[in-house]
Amino acid sequence: MCGICGVLGTRDSFAAGEEVVTRMRETLVHRGPDDGGTWTAPRIGLGHRRLSIIDLSPAGHQPMSNEDGTVWITFGGEIYNHRELRAELEAKGHTYRSQTDTETIVHLYEEEGPRCVERLQGMFGFAIWDSRKQELFLARDRLGIKPVYFAQPAGGFVFASEIKALLEHPAISPDLDEEAFVHYLTFVCTPAPLTMFKGIHKLAPGERMTVLRDRV
C-alpha cells in the first residue's frame, strides 16, 4: 500500500532535513517493506516506503522526479489507466526511466498542473514538490481509499499517510482534539478534516491542497 510523508518549512528554523524525514518515514515501514527513500532540499523533504507492485526493479524507487529534477513526487496507490496516459505523454516528448504509474503522475502534472488528478483513475494519496513554483501539491482519491494527514505548526507544514509519522516531528504534539472526541462519542467517527489529535487534520476524499513555500 506504500507510505508517504514530508515536511515543508516556511521558516529556515523549521526541522525539514533528512534526519527528521527519515525518522517519520520509518514509522511507515509496515506500509512499504520493499524499499525506502528520502529526498531533501533547503526547507523541503519527502519520504517514501515502497510496496513494489508495478515495476519491481530499482527504477521504481521513490521519491521520484521528472527528467530535470524540478518536480518530485511521493506516491501511494495505483493508477489503473497509467499505460494509456503514458502513451499520450510520450507522444508529447516526455521521457520515462521506469515502468511505474508513479512516473506518469509526474509527467501528467508537468502538462496539466493540479488538474492532473481529474484524469487519474485509481486510488491514490500523493504529494508533489514543484521547485519551479515553490509549491507543494497534495491530493487524495475520490473515495478516500488512501489516507493523507497533515498539520500546520508554526513555521511549517507536515504530512503523512499515518498520524504516527507526524508525531515524529518535533513541532507536533499528541494533544486530544475535544471537538473530534465529541463527534466520535456521538457518531463513532471523526469527520474530515478533524482527527482525534489537536492540530492534525486529514484531506477529505477527492480533496486537493496547495501549500506555498512562503506561507501555509
Side-chain angles (χ1 to χ4, degrees), residues 90-106:
E90 286 181 322
K92 292 181 177 180
H94 290 277
T95 302
Y96 277 71
R97 298 188 295 265
S98 74
Q99 298 298 317
T100 65
D101 48 355
T102 308
E103 199 168 1
T104 288
I105 302 174
V106 174

Side-chain angles (χ1 to χ4, degrees), residues 40-57:
T40 60
R43 288 169 50 179
I44 177 71
L46 303 177
H48 187 266
R49 286 300 318 188
R50 184 185 183 200
L51 178 65
S52 303
I53 300 294
I54 300 175
D55 191 345
L56 307 185
S57 76

Side-chain angles (χ1 to χ4, degrees), residues 46-193:
L46 303 177
H48 187 266
R49 286 300 318 188
R50 184 185 183 200
L51 178 65
S52 303
I53 300 294
I54 300 175
D55 191 345
L56 307 185
S57 76
H61 179 78
Q62 292 190 52
M64 181 181 290
S65 74
N66 63 344
E67 298 96 328
D68 63 5
T70 56
V71 177
W72 286 83
I73 187 172
T74 180
F75 159 69
E78 187 172 354
I79 306 302
Y80 307 135
N81 62 332
H82 76 99
R83 293 192 181 279
E84 295 90 335
L85 292 170
R86 175 175 179 146
E88 175 187 327
L89 292 163
E90 286 181 322
K92 292 181 177 180
H94 290 277
T95 302
Y96 277 71
R97 298 188 295 265
S98 74
Q99 298 298 317
T100 65
D101 48 355
T102 308
E103 199 168 1
T104 288
I105 302 174
V106 174
H107 296 315
L108 189 62
Y109 173 85
E110 288 184 277
E111 290 290 328
E112 304 188 13
R115 296 196 66 172
C116 68
V117 294
E118 298 171 16
R119 302 193 60 198
L120 299 178
Q121 298 173 14
M123 51 183 178
F124 54 84
F126 66 76
I128 290 176
W129 171 246
D130 188 334
S131 65
R132 304 163 303 181
K133 296 180 178 179
Q134 294 289 286
E135 292 179 355
L136 182 67
F137 173 63
L138 299 96
R140 190 179 179 196
D141 63 78
R142 298 162 184 80
L143 295 181
I145 298 173
K146 297 301 178 183
V148 179
Y149 295 93
F150 65 92
Q152 305 175 61
F157 179 88
V158 187
F159 72 89
S161 297
E162 296 185 17
I163 291 174
K164 66 174 69 175
L166 299 182
L167 295 176
E168 288 296 316
H169 193 280
I172 309 297
S173 58
D175 300 324
L176 175 68
D177 187 312
E178 295 182 2
E179 180 184 355
F181 187 51
V182 170
H183 284 304
Y184 179 78
L185 293 178
T186 306
F187 305 112
V188 199
C189 70
T190 53

Side-chain angles (χ1 to χ4, degrees), residues 189-209:
C189 70
T190 53
L194 299 177
T195 72
M196 294 290 280
F197 294 85
K198 183 183 296 183
I200 297 179
H201 304 290
K202 55 189 173 187
L203 283 184
E207 192 169 39
R208 59 195 185 194
M209 169 186 284

Side-chain angles (χ1 to χ4, degrees), residues 8-11 13-15 151-157 169 171-172 216:
L8 173 63
T10 55
R11 299 176 186 169
S13 59
F14 195 77
Q152 305 175 61
F157 179 88
H169 193 280
I172 309 297
V216 174

